[in-house]
Amino acid sequence: QYIITIDSGLEPDGGEYEIMVETDEGIAQTTYTAPDLYPQIALDGLPEQSFAEPVTVTATISTVRGVGENFVSINGEEMDIVFEAVDDTTVSAEITLDPYDFAPDGENTLTIESTDALGGTRQADAVFTVVDLPPVVEITGLSEGAVVDTGTIDVSVDIQRSQQPVEQVAYFVDDELVVTFNNPPYDYSLDILPFGAGDHTFTAELTDASESYNEEITLTSEPALFYTTSPNPTQTTT
């Protein structure tokens, strides 16, 4: 019987390797699994389904050979994430994912790359998707339930957040198209008189690559706008 000691020089990365011993009389082969001393990366809190609200993912990294450098990227773009020490060999960080930061038409990849104190590097990837959400907008110049007492209203739409570029904005009053914009700013002097007195619905329709979204405001035109006073009033009994 012979005892053979092999200095393989293999990295302790948990990989499997084939070992073969050959003599004049034959060949023997077996599998060797290297110890896994590279960083261990765990992700907690990432939804399996598409999400519509911000989520917080916790990344925990254990490095038995000492803490080194850690990086977080999404779709190849590095994020500014700070890892805090849990103990001498473990660090942790919270990563907030806001669905408005990602397009809804495909998969996104969250990547954690960790290098320990001796240079051992491991990467973990996780895929997520987000719900197709409407743009977040603010309409200025009009408020819900407003009573309009002037013939012209200066209206504007401010797009505060959107997953995709807004390609077109259109204004409607009672489903009648008033104006269409292909580029910002979306400022318009709306003449309410042609629509008559009473209740109306103002609609801002925003269209992106996926679909169209409507923001509606109900308003009332002051009937006095449509009264005409005689230029020479007389004291006539009515």
Side-chain angles (χ1 to χ4, degrees):
Q1 176 177 321
Y2 296 89
I3 297 176
I4 304 173
T5 300
I6 302 174
D7 184 4
S8 67
L10 296 173
E11 284 291 307
D13 58 0
E16 290 189 350
Y17 302 90
E18 296 297 326
I19 295 179
M20 184 172 62
V21 177
E22 180 179 357
T23 72
D24 291 339
E25 298 180 356
I27 296 175
Q29 186 170 325
T30 188
T31 300
Y32 167 71
T33 301
D36 191 352
L37 304 181
Y38 274 21
Q40 304 295 316
I41 304 171
L43 288 174
D44 182 53
L46 187 65
E48 295 182 1
Q49 306 297 325
S50 297
F51 54 91
E53 298 290 336
V55 299
T56 299
V57 179
T58 301
T60 303
I61 301 175
S62 298
T63 50
V64 296
R65 303 193 303 176
V67 177
E69 293 185 312
N70 303 293
F71 301 95
V72 179
S73 62
I74 296 180
N75 299 329
E77 183 175 347
E78 187 174 337
M79 301 180 66
D80 185 15
I81 301 295
V82 177
F83 284 82
E84 302 290 343
V86 177
D87 54 40
D88 291 342
T89 60
T90 305
V91 294
S92 179
E94 291 189 343
I95 306 165
T96 299
L97 304 177
D98 190 328
Y100 273 101
D101 293 335
F102 308 100
D105 56 355
E107 294 182 338
N108 302 280
T109 303
L110 170 64
T111 300
I112 312 292
E113 182 178 311
S114 178
T115 302
D116 63 22
L118 297 182
T121 299
R122 173 160 286 152
Q123 177 177 305
D125 295 322
V127 174
F128 65 92
T129 57
V130 297
V131 172
D132 191 350
L133 298 173
V136 177
V137 303
E138 181 182 10
I139 300 177
T140 57
L142 277 177
S143 57
E144 179 64 27
V147 176
V148 179
D149 57 5
T150 60
T152 302
I153 313 163
D154 291 330
V155 182
S156 182
V157 166
D158 176 28
I159 301 174
Q160 299 178 328
R161 306 195 72 190
S162 63
Q163 292 175 310
Q164 305 175 90
V166 173
E167 300 173 349
Q168 187 180 83
V169 174
Y171 293 167
F172 296 81
V173 174
D174 299 335
D175 297 327
E176 181 178 334
L177 177 63
V178 177
V179 66
T180 300
F181 302 92
N182 293 319
N183 296 290
Y186 310 113
D187 302 333
Y188 188 71
S189 293
L190 175 64
D191 185 1
I192 200 65
L193 294 178
F195 300 97
D199 297 335
H200 303 287
T201 300
F202 171 83
T203 303
E205 181 185 79
L206 298 91
T207 304
D208 62 19
S210 297
E211 57 182 295
S212 295
Y213 309 91
N214 290 341
E215 293 287 332
E216 295 185 347
I217 291 179
T218 58
L219 58 95
T220 301
S221 295
E222 175 61 54
L225 288 172
F226 304 89
Y227 297 159
T228 301
T229 306
S230 172
N232 297 306
T234 58
Q235 300 296 326
T236 305
T237 302
T238 302

